[in-house]
Amino acid sequence: MNAPAWQHAIIIGGGASGVLLAYQLLKDPASDLSVTLIERRPEIGRGVAYHTGNPEHLLNVRVGNMSALPDEPEHFWRWLCTRPDGPMCPDPYCFVPRQIYGDYLAGLIESLTSNGGAARLAVVQGECVSVQEGPAGVAATLDDGRRFTGDLAICATGHDAAAVNFHCQVDPWTSLSAVGVDRLATVLILGSGLTMADYVLSLLRNGHQGPIVALSRRGLLAKGHRRVDSLRIEEREIPFGASITVLLRWFRQRAEAHIAGGGDWRSVIDGLRPFTQRLWLQLPDASKRRFLEHARAWWDVHRHRMAPEVEHRLGEAIAARRVVVIPGKLSAVTPNEREALVRFRRRGCTELSELRVGAIVDCTGLVKDPATSSNPAVRSLLEQGLARVDPLHIGIEIGTDCAIVARNGSSSQRLFAIGPLTRAAFWEIIAIPDIRNQCAELAARLIERSGQTGQRRDAQASNLRDRAV
């Protein structure tokens, strides 16, 4: 059976992933493919990562690697240089506020007005609560009852918000002042990664005076970036398809050899980046489980590093005992009207410790089971059997072409997913350098299916013939 052709795509989610895909679909003025971009926030391009207004919340990737366009690696740097107040830093090896990057992403959509793309784009504010697929197309229903139909839908819902289960639990993207937590109260942050660092900076900037405790299983802190170049690693060197034990042994030996020669371990990790998705795809399922259970925490703190300025600020707060990092595991939370009694077990101890806190902030990371997703659009797909959770319970199952796999194992002809929702297939798919490639590749396939590619090629060939005559 021939795959259906289409002219109208619905993108659910107007954060980074949704904007990057919309731009790739619309940037070619010769295409007739139209896009409806649905975003629940008032602004597009912000999402969870880039809506922050705190100037101390910096990108975790240097400016030189944050271009939205794979074929224009200096696009973001050039954009920074055109700002009225200048590029904010002396060269592309710097880290600018994430809010600035949100401006950049929003500007991508605005730039479409200059090449005719605006006529093919509809931006809709609202929360998508249901996605349906039928023989003739798809439909997205919003929480206010509005319904949009199209030929295909792409889920770009990004990161799930942490579920709030009791009054003193605070979303990591919400300030304590907004929920009325006393400035002298003890704040417990679950997790000690990059989100924890951002929240600590927010607390300090907003004048919080109480103790700040970060509790994580191993108490590991993200490492800081350094001004080093990535190591060139040849594809033939890498043990693709090997077990996690063999792979980690190879990686340690490669890093140790580089360090012994005067290099930096960061160069080895960055040199491996072009191959990480393929490594994950070819890793045996048992090894994936072992990695998630035993090695992921160490990989994350070395792979997902913080800006040097953030590292310095957090280090100062820890040295001054404004922040205490405890390796341990949460055991129980007993809330009352004003606070909560938290019981936890320190790493290596058998007895429980207790702590009274005024707020609990869940910064435990981005790997969440989609079966417990707070996103109604994702829940809708799962409940209808249009999607299924992957065996590792870290994402929904998709094919290598980003098509969503249904409960019965069939790949959809009309439903796709991009960004963090696809981490089960690609793992390394939460940062812009990875997402931009995914969006460009998917857009190329969708445009080809739209029936416009052949027409453009015919027109280009005709122009060449005319010039030759």
Side-chain angles (χ1 to χ4, degrees), residues 5 10 38 49 72 79 83 117 189 237 241 248 270 282 297 311 354 360 379 394 402 420-421 424 443-445 450:
I10 299 174
I38 300 173
E72 296 184 49
W79 180 88
R83 288 169 53 84
I189 300 178
E237 299 178 49
L248 289 178
D270 294 346
Q282 297 186 13
E311 180 188 32
E354 292 186 349
I360 300 174
R379 291 201 309 269
I394 61 173
C402 294
L421 193 59
R445 289 193 294 268
S450 74

Side-chain angles (χ1 to χ4, degrees), residues 44 52 56 70 109 306 381 422:
I44 61 171
T52 174
E56 295 181 345
I109 296 300
M306 64 178 74
L381 292 172
T422 67

Side-chain angles (χ1 to χ4, degrees), residues 279-294:
L279 280 167
W280 179 258
L281 285 168
Q282 297 186 13
L283 199 63
D285 288 345
S287 287
K288 289 180 180 178
R289 291 188 177 90
R290 290 188 62 197
F291 169 81
L292 292 173
E293 178 65 21
H294 301 293

